[in-house]
């Protein structure tokens, strides 16, 4: 009995152990299943996250590729713009060189124009000086012309007096022939009383006189203020005096209305003649 009880007790103990063991195994299985499920779930989530990350990465890669392509396009455009800018810069440099060349040419032209302007000013001053000399010569010519006109008037008046005297003499001779011989002396005396012949003086005509206007020492010729209006002709010989002193002769080589040019006849020299020396027509 005791053995049966012990056997029963032993079997119960074994049953309990087995139950506990089974329970432990079941718990372990449940735990392992739960762990497996948990790990599977975690793995699924990780896989989904990885796939999502991969998709996002793919999207990002696509975006980056698009960005890279856009950057390449922008780089190409920038390179083209740089080329255009280089071309423009080269064109501007060429234009700058051309402009500098034009400036240099303009400077040279300006310098040349300034030189011509200075020459023109000098020529103008010389012309003004010559005009002043011409005006002075014209004034001298006018004065000499006035003197000549006065001389011609005196000559004309003198010729008229001579003609009157000749006419009086003719009348006297005619009257003396018509009167009888005894009255001739009375008529002659009467005429002599009317006309005092001793007071009539016939002076020779005054020679045309002029002045030396300028002397050219290098070519040995002079300019005088006697021209064709005063009867000067080509080849005519003129005498040059200074006061009462005779200096020499000159020969006319060119004639104008108001003045003439004449060569000095050797041994007469330009070192002797001076401006304002008197010139007369040599008889």
């Amino acid at each position: 009995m005791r053995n049966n009880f012990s056997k029963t007790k032993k079997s119960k103990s074994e049953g309990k152990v087995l139950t506990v063991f089974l329970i432990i195994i079941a718990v372990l299985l449940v735990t392992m299943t739960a762990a497996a499920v948990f790990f599977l779930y975690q793995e699924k989530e990780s896989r989904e996250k990885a796939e999502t990350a991969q998709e996002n990465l793919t999207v990002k890669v696509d975006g980056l590729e698009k960005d890279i392509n856009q950057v390449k396009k922008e780089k190409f455009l920038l390179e083209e713009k740089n080329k255009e800018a280089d071309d423009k810069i080269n064109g501007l440099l060429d234009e700058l060189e051309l402009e500098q060349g034009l400036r240099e040419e303009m400077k040279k032209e300006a310098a040349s124009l300034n030189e011509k302007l200075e020459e023109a000013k000098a020529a103008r001053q010389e012309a003004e000086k010559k005009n002043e000399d011409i005006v002075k010569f014209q004034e001298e010519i006018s004065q000499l012309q006035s003197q000549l006109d006065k001389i011609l008037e005196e000559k004309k008046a003198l010729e008229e007096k001579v003609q009157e005297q000749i006419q009086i003499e003719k009348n006297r001779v005619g009257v003396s022939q018509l009167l009888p011989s005894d009255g001739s002396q009375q008529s002659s005396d009467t005429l002599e009383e009317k006309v005092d012949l001793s007071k009539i003086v016939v002076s020779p005509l005054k020679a045309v006189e002029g002045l030396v206007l300028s002397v050219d020492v290098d070519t040995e010729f002079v300019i005088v203020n006697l021209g064709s209006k005063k009867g000067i002709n080509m080849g005519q010989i003129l005498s040059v005096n200074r006061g009462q002193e005779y200096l020499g002769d000159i020969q006319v080589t060119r004639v104008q209305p108001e003045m003439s040019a004449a060569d000095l006849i050797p041994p007469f020299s330009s070192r002797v003649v001076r401006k304002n020396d008197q010139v007369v027509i040599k008889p």
Side-chain angles (χ1 to χ4, degrees):
M1 184 100 179
R2 187 180 287 182
N3 288 330
N4 289 330
F5 180 76
S6 58
K7 287 181 180 179
T8 302
K9 189 177 180 180
K10 185 177 180 180
S11 60
K12 287 181 179 180
S13 298
E14 289 177 357
K16 288 180 180 180
V17 171
L18 181 61
T19 301
V20 171
F21 180 74
L22 290 173
I23 291 170
I24 291 172
I25 290 172
V27 170
L28 288 173
L29 288 173
V30 171
T31 303
M32 290 177 65
T33 301
V37 171
F38 177 76
F39 284 120
L40 287 174
Y41 181 76
Q42 289 291 328
E43 185 180 356
K44 184 179 180 182
E45 287 183 354
S46 298
R47 186 178 293 175
E48 289 177 353
K49 288 181 180 180
E51 290 176 354
T52 303
Q54 186 177 2
E55 290 177 357
N56 293 331
L57 184 60
T58 302
V59 172
K60 288 181 179 180
V61 169
D62 293 337
L64 289 173
E65 288 179 353
K66 290 180 180 179
D67 292 339
I68 289 170
N69 292 329
Q70 186 67 27
V71 169
K72 287 181 179 179
K73 290 180 181 179
E74 291 179 356
K75 180 182 177 183
F76 178 76
L77 292 174
L78 288 174
E79 289 177 352
E80 292 296 326
K81 288 182 179 179
N82 286 332
K83 289 181 181 179
E84 292 179 359
D86 290 336
D87 293 336
K88 288 182 180 179
I89 290 171
N90 292 329
L92 290 173
L93 290 174
D94 293 337
E95 291 179 358
L96 182 61
E97 290 179 358
L98 180 61
E99 184 178 357
Q100 289 177 350
L102 291 174
R103 284 183 180 178
E104 293 297 329
E105 291 181 359
M106 290 177 67
K107 286 181 180 178
K108 291 180 181 179
E109 290 180 359
S112 177
L113 289 174
N114 287 330
E115 291 178 358
K116 291 181 180 179
L117 182 61
E118 293 297 329
E119 292 176 357
K121 286 181 179 179
R124 182 179 178 181
Q125 291 176 355
E126 186 176 356
E128 289 177 352
K129 188 180 292 184
K130 288 183 178 180
N131 287 332
E132 291 177 357
D133 293 338
I134 290 172
V135 171
K136 189 182 294 184
F137 294 156
Q138 288 177 348
E139 291 177 354
E140 293 178 356
I141 289 169
S142 298
Q143 293 176 358
L144 293 172
Q145 187 67 37
S146 299
Q147 293 177 3
L148 179 61
D149 293 339
K150 187 175 181 180
I151 291 170
L152 292 175
E153 289 177 358
E154 292 177 355
K155 176 185 175 184
K156 185 177 180 181
L158 185 60
E159 288 177 349
E160 290 177 354
K161 287 183 179 180
V162 171
Q163 291 295 330
E164 289 177 359
Q165 184 62 34
I166 292 172
Q167 188 65 35
I168 291 171
E169 288 294 327
K170 287 181 179 180
N171 293 334
R172 185 179 65 80
V173 172
V175 170
S176 62
Q177 290 177 354
L178 293 173
L179 291 175
S181 59
D182 57 351
S184 61
Q185 184 67 33
Q186 183 180 358
S187 176
S188 176
D189 294 339
T190 304
L191 289 173
E192 287 179 358
E193 289 177 359
K194 291 182 179 179
V195 180
D196 189 359
L197 297 177
S198 63
K199 294 182 179 180
I200 298 175
V201 179
V202 179
S203 60
L205 295 178
K206 188 176 181 181
V208 178
E209 294 183 358
L211 296 174
V212 175
L213 299 179
S214 64
V215 180
D216 193 317
V217 179
D218 296 329
T219 55
E220 294 287 326
F221 81 92
V222 296
I223 303 295
V224 299
N225 62 352
L226 298 177
S228 58
K229 289 185 178 180
K230 295 187 179 180
I232 301 299
N233 299 315
M234 288 283 292
Q236 195 166 9
I237 305 299
L238 307 177
S239 297
V240 181
N241 302 314
R242 186 175 298 145
Q244 300 298 324
E245 180 184 1
Y246 168 75
L247 300 178
D249 294 335
I250 57 176
Q251 186 174 15
V252 177
T253 58
R254 187 174 180 181
V255 181
Q256 293 184 357
E258 303 292 344
M259 59 186 66
S260 301
D263 292 335
L264 278 70
I265 299 175
F268 191 29
S269 171
S270 60
R271 292 189 297 272
V272 178
V273 65
R274 292 201 302 260
K275 184 179 178 180
N276 293 327
D277 285 341
Q278 293 84 17
V279 179
V280 296
I281 298 175
K282 193 169 184 178

